[in-house]
Amino acid sequence: MTLQELQKTVYDAGIVGAGGAGFPTHRKFSDKVEQIVVNAAECEPLMMVDHHILHAHLAELVDALNLLCDAMNAKEVIIGIKGKNIHLLDEKIVASLRRTRIKIHEIPDIYPAGDEVVLTYETTGKIIPEGAIPIAVGVVVINVETVYNIYKAVTGGEAVTDKYITIGGDVPRDITVLAPIGMKISELLAAAGYTDLSGKEVIDGGPMMGKLVDLETDVVTKTTKGLLVFPKTHSIIQRIKMPVNIALRRSSAACCNCTMCTDMCPRYLLGYSLQVHNTVRAAGHGEVKNTEAFLQNSLCCGCGICSVIACQQCILPSKVSMEIKGSLAKHGLKRQNNKQPESVRPERAGRLVSSNKLIDRLGIRRYVKDKVEREYIDFKPNAVTILLKQHVGKPADPVVRVGDKVTRGMIVAQTPYDDLGTTMHASIDGTVTAVTDRFIAIGR
């Protein structure tokens, strides 16, 4: 398969980054790739999707990775996985990879090991330039589930119609399920047996970077990786709910300029010019002429270390930073003085945040289970809502009308191939009941 054929197959299948970012995968592929890094970090606590895929489908992943190597003429593949999870890998398959171009690389059990800037450094020793993407250093980073979706698209012509999701947190049992994209999250939880959610909230994603779920409206998307349940009073929920204006008031009143938010920032420790404390001060005191304090937020990955680990004043610097980053993107503003860090900061080794420390600081130790089962539930929703924007880039344009009959896997919307976007497919057989500029509804 040529590079162009691979890109078209992946585009047609609607494959985007399944780890949470949702970047259209076909746009990552290039003949300039030297190393393919597989993100098997399972970065945030309680998330177990990649665990299941690595355990059950390693052979398929290897086949897909060899194909990617050939198509892009890459030199090697590096599967970045935490040492504590290597036992998930089939020993015979791992042994067969010795002296091949596919390597298993043990990464430290730290957060945020799954950030592509951190993962690229941990697996290759390369530091991605500020404001750039991994291809700038000859690397492409792909999530485990994304690789598995590529395998299914290439070998079986399967489109992305379902999503692996971990359900965990304050629940009797943690499970990983495969659910139709567009299924209402409240219906999914009920079908899986999680019916009593009184006094609790659900977040889509991990405890650090997840978003609150609106159980009345929210549906499964291509980037839904975890549904975590916590009491409404839990600090995780309170942190997510805190309005950014409250964080700004706290920063003006309580910030002592101790610089701990900067000192602990994972990207700062890799040599980036990210001075989080300057942002907190400038935003809190309205120092609008200090443009660099605002523009530097384009370098923030939103991991939340500054808020959960570093700051002792409950200011939530990451909430401020991500609000500013979103505003910069909305107005098309970019930082112009990006640079290539020469080396990591010497203090980095002593400031890495272990997963255990993060779990204790988050107060979720009691929710960490010894094992997460893969539960085979045959979800059969009566209706699904296919959002037209489940990815980075332009929304997909509908190609169906109300009343059209569709079958599972049929294309219902597409972004033009030359634009940054992807393809959407029906996840159930049925009839199109609504088409708007935001979604396509399908009923059985």
Side-chain angles (χ1 to χ4, degrees):
M1 179 175 279
T2 66
L3 174 59
Q4 291 72 29
E5 289 170 339
L6 173 65
Q7 289 174 313
K8 185 64 166 58
T9 298
V10 169
Y11 164 78
D12 287 342
I15 299 173
V16 301
F23 193 89
T25 302
H26 70 284
R27 294 294 292 269
K28 283 189 171 187
F29 297 154
S30 165
D31 57 7
K32 297 180 174 60
V33 172
E34 298 174 358
Q35 296 163 300
I36 300 170
V37 173
V38 179
N39 186 348
E42 203 84 79
C43 191
E44 292 212 43
L46 307 180
M47 308 294 278
M48 303 292 283
V49 163
D50 294 344
H51 284 61
H52 162 70
I53 297 175
L54 286 166
H55 180 67
H57 301 291
L58 182 58
E60 292 93 329
L61 296 177
V62 169
D63 287 346
L65 291 169
N66 276 315
L67 184 147
L68 292 178
C69 251
D70 290 339
M72 290 186 277
N73 198 28
K75 295 178 181 177
E76 65 177 348
V77 174
I78 305 172
I79 300 176
I81 182 171
K82 295 178 179 179
K84 67 180 183 181
N85 295 328
I86 288 181
H87 72 279
L88 296 167
L89 307 180
D90 186 292
E91 292 181 0
K92 292 182 179 179
I93 296 176
V94 171
S96 72
L97 296 177
R98 291 177 188 143
R99 292 183 292 279
T100 71
R101 57 188 175 181
I102 299 179
K103 299 174 173 60
I104 309 295
H105 185 93
E106 181 178 336
I107 59 175
D109 186 15
I110 59 171
Y111 177 82
D115 171 35
E116 66 179 12
V117 175
V118 174
L119 185 65
T120 296
Y121 175 74
E122 292 293 346
T123 52
T124 70
K126 298 176 180 178
I127 304 176
I128 300 169
E130 295 177 349
I133 57 178
I135 193 60
V137 291
V139 173
V140 62
V141 179
I142 311 179
N143 169 264
V144 166
E145 187 176 358
T146 307
V147 177
Y148 186 49
N149 285 337
I150 293 170
Y151 171 83
K152 292 190 290 184
V154 171
T155 61
E158 292 186 48
V160 179
T161 58
D162 301 277
K163 187 69 181 68
Y164 283 99
I165 303 168
T166 293
I167 303 175
D170 188 18
V171 292
R173 72 195 196 288
D174 289 12
I175 59 174
T176 294
V177 298
L178 185 65
I181 289 171
M183 184 177 186
K184 200 170 180 180
I185 287 176
S186 58
E187 293 179 3
L188 185 158
L189 291 171
Y194 304 95
T195 54
D196 183 10
L197 296 177
S198 56
K200 298 178 182 179
E201 297 274 8
V202 181
I203 61 174
D204 180 346
M208 291 293 280
M209 300 177 71
K211 312 293 183 186
L212 275 181
V213 168
D214 183 339
L215 291 173
E216 294 297 320
T217 59
D218 284 354
V219 299
V220 174
T221 71
K222 295 182 181 184
T223 58
T224 302
K225 193 170 184 180
L227 296 172
L228 302 182
V229 180
F230 296 108
K232 290 182 177 181
T233 55
H234 198 283
S235 61
I236 290 174
I237 302 301
Q238 296 306 306
R239 171 168 51 85
I240 295 173
K241 282 186 170 181
M242 181 186 289
V244 69
N245 64 309
I246 299 298
L248 286 170
R249 289 178 190 174
R250 288 186 178 181
S251 66
S252 63
C255 179
C256 61
N257 207 34
C258 69
T259 76
M260 279 295 292
C261 52
T262 296
D263 295 341
M264 293 296 295
C265 172
R267 291 196 171 183
Y268 169 80
L269 292 171
L270 283 174
Y272 275 39
S273 308
L274 186 52
Q275 304 277 334
V276 186
H277 65 283
N278 284 340
T279 292
V280 172
R281 179 176 179 82
H285 293 275
E287 297 174 0
V288 294
K289 292 184 178 181
N290 186 1
T291 57
E292 172 60 15
F294 294 94
L295 290 172
Q296 67 170 343
N297 286 277
S298 61
L299 305 178
C300 175
C301 71
C303 71
I305 286 288
C306 54
S307 295
V308 175
I309 300 293
C311 184
Q312 304 303 306
Q313 306 291 348
C314 300
I315 292 172
L316 305 189
S318 59
K319 186 176 285 284
V320 175
S321 291
M322 292 306 289
E323 178 75 12
I324 294 170
K325 183 176 181 176
S327 183
L328 292 174
K330 181 179 178 180
H331 292 90
L333 299 173
K334 296 183 179 180
R335 187 172 183 265
Q336 301 298 320
N337 56 330
N338 291 324
K339 68 176 185 179
Q340 167 68 68
E342 295 181 3
S343 62
V344 302
R345 300 186 189 276
E347 62 269 27
R348 180 176 185 266
R351 293 182 182 170
L352 298 176
V353 177
S354 70
S355 294
N356 272 327
K357 180 175 182 179
L358 183 64
I359 286 168
D360 288 334
R361 183 61 67 89
L362 286 169
I364 58 174
R365 176 68 63 184
R366 62 187 179 278
Y367 302 134
V368 178
K369 313 295 194 301
D370 292 333
K371 191 174 184 181
V372 175
E373 298 288 347
R374 164 73 169 97
E375 191 148 318
Y376 294 86
I377 299 174
D378 186 15
F379 294 105
K380 291 185 177 180
N382 290 322
V384 294
T385 302
I386 308 298
L387 300 183
L388 299 177
K389 186 166 172 47
Q390 306 179 35
H391 54 276
V392 172
K394 295 178 66 175
D397 300 317
V399 298
V400 293
R401 295 178 296 181
V402 173
D404 286 353
K405 301 292 185 181
V406 296
T407 57
R408 182 177 176 273
M410 182 182 291
I411 294 175
V412 295
Q414 257 180 337
T415 306
Y417 185 74
D418 292 333
D419 292 335
L420 183 62
T422 190
T423 305
M424 302 298 176
H425 303 79
S427 59
I428 62 172
D429 299 340
T431 303
V432 176
T433 58
V435 177
T436 75
D437 59 353
R438 288 187 52 250
F439 63 83
I440 294 170
I442 303 169
R444 290 192 186 275

